[in-house]
Amino acid sequence: MRVEDFFGVDVDLDEVLRWKEQGADIETILLGLRNMGCSMVACMSVFDASGLMPLSKAKIVVHNSRTWRDQYPENTAFQEDLGDILDRMDDDDRDVK
């Protein structure tokens, strides 16, 4: 049993792997994690930590999943805002030189 804390939710990574071995698809696993209280970011981290998939792939899979579809507009807007902030920070860094 490998229990880790993912943003305040204890998840047994071995149990997540058992779900997969028992035939659960990604959506079923995501729904189980969400029902446990995991956020989108926590789900991505669980997938990476358990070895189901690397973080870069987990981000795409979770963001575009049916399980998190209700959060898609808010998360897309957040990512766009974050991108704008990072772009401005990069521009500010160039202005300093």
Side-chain angles (χ1 to χ4, degrees):
M1 184 162 88
R2 294 182 298 149
V3 177
E4 292 188 27
D5 182 317
F6 291 91
F7 305 93
V9 178
D10 289 335
V11 177
D12 181 347
L13 298 175
D14 291 329
E15 181 179 2
V16 172
L17 291 175
R18 276 192 299 279
W19 294 344
K20 183 66 175 166
E21 290 166 1
Q22 293 170 352
D25 63 9
I26 295 299
E27 288 293 338
T28 302
I29 294 170
L30 279 173
L31 186 58
L33 292 170
R34 187 172 185 180
N35 288 338
M36 290 171 62
C38 287
S39 65
M40 286 182 76
V41 173
C43 289
M44 294 173 205
S45 298
V46 168
F47 280 9
D48 182 57
S50 68
L52 283 178
M53 64 184 68
L55 194 55
S56 57
K57 182 176 180 183
K59 181 190 179 300
I60 295 166
V61 168
V62 173
H63 186 71
N64 293 302
S65 69
R66 287 187 317 269
T67 300
W68 288 99
R69 185 176 292 154
D70 63 316
Q71 299 294 313
Y72 188 84
E74 292 86 359
N75 286 309
T76 300
F78 170 76
Q79 289 182 20
E80 289 171 359
D81 290 346
L82 183 59
D84 291 343
I85 290 168
L86 293 173
D87 286 343
R88 283 196 301 270
M89 288 175 65
D90 190 40
D91 290 344
D92 290 344
D93 287 343
R94 278 190 234 132
D95 292 341
V96 171
K97 294 178 184 176

